[in-house]
Amino acid sequence: MRKDRLHVSKGGEGMITDRFGKEWIYFDGGLGTMLQERGLQGGEYPETWNLTHPEELIAIHKAYLEAGCHVINANTFGANGLKFDNVEEIITAGIQLAKEAKKQAGRMDAYVALDIGPTGKLLEPMGDLPFEKAVSYFAQMVKAGVKAGADLILIETMSDTYEAKAAVLAAKENSSLPVIVTMIFDENQRLLTGGSVESAVAMLEGLRVDALGINCGLGPKQMLPVVKRIREVSSLPIIVNPNAGLPVQVNGKTVYDLKADDFAQAMVKIAQIGVQGLGGCCGTTPEYIQKMIEAIKDIPCKPNTMKEQTWVTSYASAVQIGKKAVVIGERINPTGKKRFQQALRNKEFDYILSQALEQEEAGAQILDVNVGLPDIDEADMMKETVVRLQNVCALPLQIDTGNLEALENALRLYNGKPMVNSVNGKLDSMESVFPLIQKYGAVVVGLCLDESGIPSTSKERLVIAQKIVKKAQEYGIQKKDIVIDGLAMTISSQSDGALVTLDTLQKVKEELNVSTILGVSNISFGLPQREIINSYFLSMALQSGLSCAMINPNNEMMKKAFDASMALMNQDAQCMHYISSYSKQVEEKKSENPEISLSFAIQKGIQDRVKEITTSLLETKEPLGIIDEELIPALDLVGKGFEQGTVFLPQLLMSAEAAKASFEVLKEKMEQNQSLSKGKIILATVQGDIHDIGKNIVKVLLENYGYEVLDLGKDVAPEVIVKTAISEEVKLVGLSALMTTTVKSMEKTIELLHKEKPDTFVVVGGAVLNQEYADQIHADHYAKDAMATVRYAEQILSQ
């Protein structure tokens, strides 16, 4: 635990964390909604009102307090260094105005939250904002909020787990205030960047936030299934702050489809699920909050329950350990692998990534990552390898290193909740590793050895496992986040080694009730035809309670032994996985030096090899042939996966960047009378709106499908868009808006385009839009995501 964290505030009724589950904690509603009613203009930064209209902020906060709120959010949501030079001044004013409202309302029992929203940018590698730079922007906000006297930190409206992690680290490293995080999930229970409820909850709980939940994006009715899922997997207090339904246009003004009474009744159903904090977001007002409080105040409030679930996650994938056995791929490891050692020394990341992708295709659920060699900088190599792996592969990773610097580098930049391999029963090992697990969150592997070496009996190994579990609890690491390695010792030198290991697995499971792991192939060192020993031992270990099998999933005998064991042990429902794997099996041999096709490299986002492969293909093919036969089909496959929910935004963007690299090579070889462009498209964020994440994602994809994009930027006047469409003879315009206040600008732009250039089509998108909304403002098409825009462009510009 850091000793330099600053300022602990207890409000008027003690720490807010002590009150969760004992009584309902009510949060305020839409601050932006209230400011708009009082004259905030589209495109105007709300935070500037802390300095220009302080009386309005006091009045709004006071109204929410009088409605019964326990928590009011200071007007600091977007007060970050990307937008303001005077961050501390704005945040200080925001906190002081909220505290003044508490005083005037006579509500000194209430809490003032430092409200932290997203930066408005995508983090690398999807965007251009480095992770540590994001941490520094959030840290600046936290330091200012602490100094001004905030009572807690609310990190809200996060659609990316990576940015949420940056904000949490900033909060934890610069204060001792309670930290609450609420994310934006869609109706498919996914974040913008692909995160699931399980992956987000596991990461946030690992980072030791004090409460978590959902806000914005949806109304209470649409949030209900998401909240239920959060309740099923989270052990922390749950906060739910929905919008006032869904947005609609009425007489040129954005309103929401739920009145205060309807909102209150919908919140009753959410309260009954078993959450601990309730409030509102866009469209809600003090009236909404007051009626919600009246509706739920007599419903018993109960604390959340501890969930004994072990989750290892990436940004998009979540693997539960203990429910049934899990395969951990062991191939990203230099031990005994000369080709892999060469790849590490030469930084041949395409080879390293190919090992990951092969194992993913072969059925691995988690990938072990070990890059330790005596003659390389392991800390730097581990950091770069983890980042690159997460660029192209959605599987969770197991960080396998004894180098503490390498471990912290990887944990800090990891997007999700990883496994860590490993800690052991030596005191110095536990005191070195557990603080990192405590800070960053991970499932940690405990080796059954200590200062005395490796015990020869299962009883002695169990004692060490118990010691590891007990010591971990001193650091707040729960038993469910520990996996014990019973140690597979080679039977060629210790004849009873397998029996001792199997008995250790059983004892750990029965007496300690924690999950287990083995590096299975260790059992056969020094013996001929090791696959025979390994595959039979794997089956025996699974029957003895093995939770995680570290194996080579590309090894046919090992994979068959695992799949057969799962079917026989009733861990493969109706034998469906076994049937699908072996009913029409085609035997394939994996090459030690696999050839990567251009299509595969683009689909997987392996940018390192794309230029080389494209250059090679140009020796025998024309550029347009490569585009038609390789690039576009690959992008189509990724796009379909994105639309079907099997590929997520980071993978989509990495594929697009890989395709872009190939296009650059092809452009150089094109004849002057040839053109790669399939047509011009204008993209713009409408006047008054300064958010461009969505627009930039669409731009990357359109360019990689061969369109020339005229990006007019953000906060673009209707007249500029129309003038450009006319002068450039553009047939398709894409408009983006994130704020409800700027949809009117979008409507005005569409109206002017239809009048001045009626042959131009308009496609619209953005977080505040839906099909009904798009119809009301007379857009020609509504695109729910970036790929939908590409599909519409293909339809319109091919005519």
Side-chain angles (χ1 to χ4, degrees), residues 71 91 150 152 177 224 252 285 390 410 443 471 481 546 612 617 621 684 704 730 750 760 791:
V71 180
I91 288 180
L152 62 103
L177 297 177
L224 200 60
T285 66
Q390 289 209 293
V443 172
K471 189 67 176 180
D481 284 334
L546 180 64
E612 177 187 336
L617 286 173
K621 289 186 176 183
N704 283 283
V730 174
I750 294 169
T760 292
R791 302 297 185 217

Side-chain angles (χ1 to χ4, degrees), residues 677-682 702 707-708 729-733 759 761 790-799:
S677 177
K678 295 158 66 175
K680 295 180 181 179
I681 300 173
I682 287 174
L702 285 172
Y707 296 100
E708 181 182 351
E729 298 183 356
V730 174
K731 298 292 184 183
L732 180 61
V733 172
D759 63 337
F761 293 84
V790 173
R791 302 297 185 217
Y792 187 63
E794 298 274 88
Q795 174 188 334
I796 294 300
L797 297 183
S798 65
Q799 295 176 2

Side-chain angles (χ1 to χ4, degrees), residues 24 26 67 260-269 271-272 278 287-300:
W24 292 113
Y26 302 120
D261 288 327
D262 299 324
F263 177 85
Q265 291 307 308
M267 294 300 284
V268 167
K269 294 182 179 179
Q272 291 171 336
L278 296 157
E287 179 190 8
Y288 280 72
I289 302 303
Q290 183 177 3
K291 291 194 172 183
M292 177 194 76
I293 293 171
E294 291 173 355
I296 69 174
K297 64 182 180 181
D298 293 327
I299 298 173

Side-chain angles (χ1 to χ4, degrees), residues 12-135:
E13 295 291 328
M15 293 287 288
I16 191 171
T17 50
D18 295 332
R19 297 172 68 180
F20 282 127
K22 298 176 183 176
E23 58 180 302
W24 292 113
I25 299 298
Y26 302 120
F27 289 71
D28 64 10
L31 182 57
T33 300
M34 299 292 288
L35 290 174
Q36 289 161 22
E37 290 182 357
R38 292 168 182 260
L40 180 73
Q41 298 300 303
E44 185 179 6
Y45 289 140
E47 296 80 13
T48 61
W49 277 42
N50 293 346
L51 307 178
T52 60
H53 298 77
E55 69 287 347
E56 300 288 3
L57 269 303
I58 292 173
I60 293 169
H61 293 318
K62 185 178 177 183
Y64 277 121
L65 290 167
E66 290 172 346
C69 291
H70 297 106
V71 180
I72 52 173
N73 295 339
N75 186 30
T76 58
F77 179 85
N80 60 64
L82 281 165
K83 298 176 183 176
F84 297 101
D85 295 325
N86 57 337
V87 169
E88 184 171 350
E89 180 185 17
I90 289 174
I91 288 180
T92 299
I95 299 293
Q96 289 176 347
L97 293 173
K99 291 166 79 77
E100 176 60 26
K102 278 177 53 174
K103 183 178 178 181
Q104 290 187 18
R107 285 291 312 279
M108 300 312 291
D109 64 313
Y111 302 88
V112 173
L114 171 66
D115 189 15
I116 296 180
T119 60
K121 285 185 171 289
L122 284 172
L123 273 60
E124 290 180 347
M126 291 186 292
D128 57 3
L129 181 61
F131 180 81
E132 292 297 350
K133 191 67 175 176
V135 174

Side-chain angles (χ1 to χ4, degrees), residues 181-203:
V181 182
T182 55
M183 311 286 291
I184 302 182
F185 292 95
D186 61 23
E187 291 185 75
N188 295 319
Q189 301 185 24
R190 288 280 177 180
L191 303 174
L192 171 67
T193 51
S196 65
V197 169
E198 293 86 352
S199 62
V201 167
M203 186 197 77

Side-chain angles (χ1 to χ4, degrees), residues 77-359:
F77 179 85
N80 60 64
L82 281 165
K83 298 176 183 176
F84 297 101
D85 295 325
N86 57 337
V87 169
E88 184 171 350
E89 180 185 17
I90 289 174
I91 288 180
T92 299
I95 299 293
Q96 289 176 347
L97 293 173
K99 291 166 79 77
E100 176 60 26
K102 278 177 53 174
K103 183 178 178 181
Q104 290 187 18
R107 285 291 312 279
M108 300 312 291
D109 64 313
Y111 302 88
V112 173
L114 171 66
D115 189 15
I116 296 180
T119 60
K121 285 185 171 289
L122 284 172
L123 273 60
E124 290 180 347
M126 291 186 292
D128 57 3
L129 181 61
F131 180 81
E132 292 297 350
K133 191 67 175 176
V135 174
S136 70
Y137 282 129
F138 290 128
Q140 185 183 22
M141 298 178 72
V142 171
K143 291 174 184 176
V146 167
K147 187 176 178 181
D151 300 311
L152 62 103
I153 297 171
L154 175 64
I155 299 165
E156 62 161 321
T157 322
M158 288 287 171
S159 58
D160 176 14
T161 51
Y162 210 28
E163 187 171 24
K165 178 174 182 175
V168 172
L169 287 178
K172 293 284 188 177
E173 290 175 351
N174 295 281
S175 85
S176 291
L177 297 177
V179 178
I180 299 171
V181 182
T182 55
M183 311 286 291
I184 302 182
F185 292 95
D186 61 23
E187 291 185 75
N188 295 319
Q189 301 185 24
R190 288 280 177 180
L191 303 174
L192 171 67
T193 51
S196 65
V197 169
E198 293 86 352
S199 62
V201 167
M203 186 197 77
L204 293 173
E205 290 194 350
L207 290 170
R208 307 293 193 268
V209 303
D210 296 287
L212 55 80
I214 178 174
N215 80 291
C216 204
L218 301 171
K221 294 178 182 178
Q222 294 79 22
M223 278 188 183
L224 200 60
V226 187
V227 176
K228 287 180 179 178
R229 185 57 186 150
I230 294 174
R231 179 70 172 77
E232 289 170 359
V233 298
S234 178
S235 304
L236 293 177
I238 299 170
I239 314 303
V240 183
N241 296 329
N243 290 344
L246 300 177
V248 293
Q249 278 271 317
V250 178
N251 298 323
K253 183 180 179 182
T254 301
V255 298
Y256 287 81
D257 64 0
L258 286 184
K259 300 297 183 185
D261 288 327
D262 299 324
F263 177 85
Q265 291 307 308
M267 294 300 284
V268 167
K269 294 182 179 179
I270 287 179
Q272 291 171 336
I273 293 174
V275 304
Q276 288 70 43
L278 296 157
C281 201
C282 300
T284 59
T285 66
E287 179 190 8
Y288 280 72
I289 302 303
Q290 183 177 3
K291 291 194 172 183
M292 177 194 76
I293 293 171
E294 291 173 355
I296 69 174
K297 64 182 180 181
D298 293 327
I299 298 173
C301 178
K302 298 178 181 179
N304 203 353
T305 55
M306 179 62 66
K307 311 302 187 304
E308 298 298 336
Q309 301 168 5
T310 303
W311 292 98
V312 180
T313 73
S314 65
Y315 66 88
S317 178
V319 175
Q320 186 175 1
I321 293 175
K323 188 174 182 180
K324 61 180 183 179
V326 169
V327 171
I328 300 179
E330 67 178 5
R331 295 295 297 168
I332 304 176
N333 191 315
T335 304
K337 303 184 186 77
K338 292 183 179 180
R339 178 67 184 91
F340 197 91
Q341 293 172 11
Q342 176 189 341
L344 288 176
R345 292 189 179 99
N346 298 334
K347 292 195 171 183
E348 296 177 55
F349 286 104
D350 59 307
Y351 179 81
I352 298 170
L353 298 181
S354 72
Q355 295 296 301
L357 295 170
E358 278 191 15
Q359 292 182 96

